[in-house]
């Protein structure tokens, strides 16, 4: 019953009546089902009619028919880095395109690992995207064994888990080094997070390989975290060395902000006395002093590709390792210059 004054929710049948086709064809066209054989003109009319009357697919009913919840879980370490916000945006936008909702858990309010995995194991979400490095590899392997075809790692790889989507992290670090070498830098320091994180391993490898290829005197400082404080400490350690670098590559955007703060405190001018470059970019970079040069990586697409893999696996597809193909590139601002 709609009740007096309440507008009835538009249905597939309403769309079908407007276009003059069977409701089953409308359903298949709106779900991009390959069995929805229709001309381009008919497809356009179906989509236009659905938009005109405000038809939205009933995810709950569709889930009952397919034994799916039409929900995905996303586990993050928090929002201390703009990278995670970009991942959420990419995941949410692509999930919405497929008619999926999103359940978000972060470590900011305690450890959500047990809650999120419980939801997965009890069928409250169809798949879990893990973008957190705080869960031990062994715990993830156990989860995949217990609930196969449901876990996708986001910018992380773990031995024994086939489903993952990563960025070209090693290439991003190499792009950073090449930019500094082209400016004339011969002593470059990399400030990285813990080597227990696959992402940091890949970035450090790309950094070291490119420095060696260019005959650059390089050094690497490993910190237990990847935040502002870690970047601050890393810069201080770099300055204490006997022959300090002329440029610092920070493995994350927050670390680069910490590096800038440390150099400001020590009275070292950027970029005239020290160049600073971040792996990952953010709009905030333009408002720092000086504006921060960064290597841009397709983080939103990372989230979107993780959704595509998860939904494919839920539908019976095989887990696989995906590398987002977009090439990292320099966003030139004001924190790098010739030494």
């Amino acid at each position: 019953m709609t009740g007096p004054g309440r507008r009835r929710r538009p249905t597939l049948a309403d769309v079908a009546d407007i276009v003059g086709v069977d409701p089953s064809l409308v359903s298949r066209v709106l779900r991009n089902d390959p069995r929805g054989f229709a001309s381009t003109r008919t497809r356009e009319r179906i989509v236009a009619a659905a938009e005109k009357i405000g038809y939205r697919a009933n995810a709950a009913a569709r889930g009952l028919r397919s034994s799916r919840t039409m929900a995905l879980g996303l586990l993050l370490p928090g929002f201390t880095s703009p990278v995670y916000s970009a991942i959420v945006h990419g995941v949410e936008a692509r999930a919405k395109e497929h008619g999926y909702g999103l359940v978000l858990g972060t470590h900011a309010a305690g450890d959500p690992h047990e809650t999120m995995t419980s939801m997965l194991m009890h069928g409250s979400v169809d798949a879990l995207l893990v973008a957190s490095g705080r869960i031990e590899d062994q715990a993830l392997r156990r989860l995949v064994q217990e609930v196969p075809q449901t876990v996708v790692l986001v910018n992380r790889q773990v031995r024994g888990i086939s489903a993952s989507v990563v960025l070209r992290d090693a290439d991003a670090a190499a792009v950073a080094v090449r930019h500094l070498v082209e400016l004339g830098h011969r002593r470059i320091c990399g400030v990285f997070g813990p080597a227990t994180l696959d992402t940091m391993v890949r970035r450090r490898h790309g950094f070291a390989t490119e420095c060696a290829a260019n005959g650059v005197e390089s050094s690497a400082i490993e910190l237990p975290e990847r935040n502002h404080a870690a970047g601050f400490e890393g810069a201080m350690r770099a300055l204490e060395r006997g022959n300090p670098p002329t440029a610092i590559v920070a493995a994350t955007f927050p670390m680069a902000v910490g590096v800038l703060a440390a150099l400001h405190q020590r009275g070292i001018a950027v970029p005239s006395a020290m160049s600073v470059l971040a792996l990952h970019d953010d709009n905030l970079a333009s408002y720092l002093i000086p504006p921060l040069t960064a290597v841009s990586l397709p983080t939103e697409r990372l989230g979107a590709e993780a959704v595509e893999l998860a939904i494919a696996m839920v539908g019976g597809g095989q887990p696989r390792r995906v590398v987002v193909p977009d090439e990292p590139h320099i966003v030139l601002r004001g924190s790098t210059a010739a030494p």
Side-chain angles (χ1 to χ4, degrees):
M1 292 179 64
T2 59
R6 292 185 61 185
R7 183 172 177 267
R8 182 175 65 84
R9 177 174 177 165
T11 66
L12 277 173
D14 295 330
V15 178
D17 286 343
I18 293 172
V19 182
V21 297
D22 192 88
S24 64
L25 179 60
V26 173
S27 175
R28 288 172 178 170
V29 167
L30 294 180
R31 289 186 290 113
N32 289 318
D33 190 321
R35 295 172 297 174
F37 298 109
S39 67
T40 300
R41 175 58 183 157
T42 299
R43 287 179 176 273
E44 290 174 350
R45 290 175 61 213
I46 288 172
V47 172
E51 291 178 350
K52 181 178 180 179
I53 66 173
Y55 171 74
R56 296 290 182 273
N58 188 328
R62 192 166 68 196
L64 286 172
R65 290 193 296 271
S66 61
S67 299
R68 298 181 187 175
T69 65
M70 303 307 295
L72 300 175
L74 173 61
L75 184 57
L76 297 165
F79 290 105
T80 55
S81 171
V83 170
Y84 303 129
S85 297
I87 289 175
V88 170
H89 189 273
V91 168
E92 190 170 32
R94 186 57 58 87
K96 183 178 179 181
E97 290 178 11
H98 287 279
Y100 272 76
L102 182 63
V103 179
L104 181 64
T106 77
H107 293 279
D111 190 353
H113 178 207
E114 290 188 8
T115 301
M116 295 293 284
T117 55
S118 177
M119 291 181 69
L120 179 64
M121 295 176 70
H122 288 88
S124 299
V125 294
D126 291 330
L128 179 62
L129 312 181
V130 179
S132 173
R134 297 188 183 183
I135 304 174
E136 293 183 357
D137 291 359
Q138 187 58 40
L140 287 171
R141 281 191 285 265
R142 284 196 302 268
L143 179 61
V144 170
Q145 290 172 358
E146 293 172 359
V147 197
Q149 298 288 108
T150 58
V151 177
V152 174
L153 304 183
V154 184
N155 211 31
R156 178 180 178 183
Q157 294 176 326
V158 171
R159 190 184 304 275
I161 299 179
S162 300
S164 64
V165 183
V166 300
L167 297 170
R168 294 170 56 179
D169 288 295
D171 290 342
V175 166
V177 171
R178 282 197 295 274
H179 170 66
L180 294 170
V181 169
E182 288 169 1
L183 290 174
H185 292 274
R186 308 304 299 171
R187 295 194 310 277
I188 306 174
C189 177
V191 178
F192 299 93
T196 53
L197 296 177
D198 168 71
T199 307
M200 291 297 112
V201 172
R202 285 182 275 124
R203 293 179 187 182
R204 186 165 177 172
H205 175 73
F207 172 82
T209 301
E210 193 65 25
C211 283
N214 286 278
V216 170
E217 180 184 336
S218 67
S219 58
I221 296 173
E222 180 182 332
L223 286 306
E225 297 290 342
R226 297 164 289 166
N227 54 21
H228 311 87
F232 187 95
E233 182 181 347
M236 288 300 192
R237 289 190 194 178
L239 295 174
E240 291 167 359
R241 299 192 168 185
N243 194 18
T246 60
I248 296 176
V249 175
T252 69
F253 187 88
M255 292 181 91
V257 174
V259 169
L260 288 178
L263 296 174
H264 177 74
Q265 181 172 304
R266 290 288 296 268
I268 297 173
V270 177
S272 59
M274 180 77 73
S275 286
V276 179
L277 194 153
L279 301 186
H280 275 302
D281 191 27
D282 185 71
N283 291 335
L284 176 63
S286 296
Y287 300 94
L288 298 174
I289 301 176
L292 181 62
T293 296
V295 177
S296 178
L297 286 156
T299 317
E300 285 194 18
R301 183 172 178 184
L302 171 72
E305 293 293 341
V307 170
E308 293 291 347
L309 178 57
I311 292 176
M313 288 166 54
V314 169
Q318 291 300 308
R320 57 195 177 91
R321 292 189 172 177
V322 177
V323 179
V324 178
D326 301 42
E327 193 169 336
H329 63 274
I330 289 285
V331 179
L332 188 62
R333 296 190 181 93
S335 65
T336 55

